[in-house]
Amino acid sequence: MASTLAMRSLLRAAPVARSALSRGVASPKFAMSRYMSTYFTPAHEYVKVEDGVGTIGITDFAQAALGDIVYVDVPEEGDEFEKGESFGSVESVKAASDVYVPVSGEVVESNESLSDDFSLVNKDAEGAAWFIKLKLSDESELSDLMDEVAYKAHCEAEAH
């Protein structure tokens, strides 16, 4: 009974978790931990953390503001960055913008798919169009970033 009530509460409170549960991909506990592992910067970068590795890219809000993406520059595996350093750039028909690491660490993978199809950023910015995977050197830096609720409020305030 208690687990049914907890599951109903989770399904009402977290649309992301509800979607994963309805597809049978996750348990309520797993869905909530995945939901809580994404962090955002005020400059519209995100980091999704799993097992000490952060998947980093630009948010959907950022890609929408930039317009059609025509070029993405990302670093090579093995490059190291301190929190806040520029690690690459994004160019669109409207502007060019540096992209900054939200946390310190070493690049363990760059998204090779982006070099073949820059428009992937416009299609799936926070999914398949991630830029790099970074082995975090200091997970405590995550506490300086926004969670999904705070980021949504940040975007709404910025849009007005």
Side-chain angles (χ1 to χ4, degrees):
M1 175 80 171
S3 64
T4 303
L5 290 175
M7 176 99 129
R8 285 184 186 154
S9 174
L10 174 66
L11 292 175
R12 278 194 299 273
V16 172
R18 181 176 61 234
S19 174
L21 289 169
S22 69
R23 292 188 317 268
V25 216
S27 68
K29 183 176 181 180
F30 177 76
M32 187 53 83
S33 71
R34 295 279 299 175
Y35 175 75
M36 296 302 288
S37 66
T38 302
Y39 304 88
F40 303 88
T41 71
H44 307 288
E45 291 96 8
Y46 69 84
V47 57
K48 295 179 181 181
V49 180
E50 187 173 347
D51 298 326
V53 174
T55 301
I56 298 171
I58 64 170
T59 65
D60 191 58
F61 185 93
Q63 74 76 23
L66 285 168
D68 293 336
I69 305 298
V70 296
Y71 181 74
V72 177
D73 178 41
V74 295
E76 296 180 8
E77 187 176 320
D79 288 351
E80 294 184 18
F81 296 94
E82 293 297 317
K83 178 181 176 177
E85 275 189 283
S86 172
F87 73 85
S89 62
V90 177
E91 294 180 20
S92 73
V93 294
K94 293 181 182 179
S97 178
D98 284 338
V99 186
Y100 302 91
V101 290
V103 289
S104 302
E106 178 183 345
V107 177
V108 294
E109 188 177 351
S110 292
N111 190 346
E112 299 295 326
S113 301
L114 294 179
S115 60
D116 296 330
D117 184 10
F118 303 126
S119 69
L120 188 57
V121 177
N122 294 115
K123 296 173 194 165
D124 193 13
E126 294 180 42
W130 56 272
F131 288 12
I132 60 172
K133 293 190 179 191
L134 197 75
K135 177 71 176 157
L136 278 57
S137 59
D138 184 0
E139 289 194 37
S140 71
E141 292 175 339
L142 295 167
S143 66
D144 296 334
L145 303 174
M146 292 180 274
D147 64 14
E148 190 170 350
V149 172
Y151 181 68
K152 183 178 178 184
H154 171 75
C155 290
E156 287 171 358
E158 197 169 278
H160 296 304

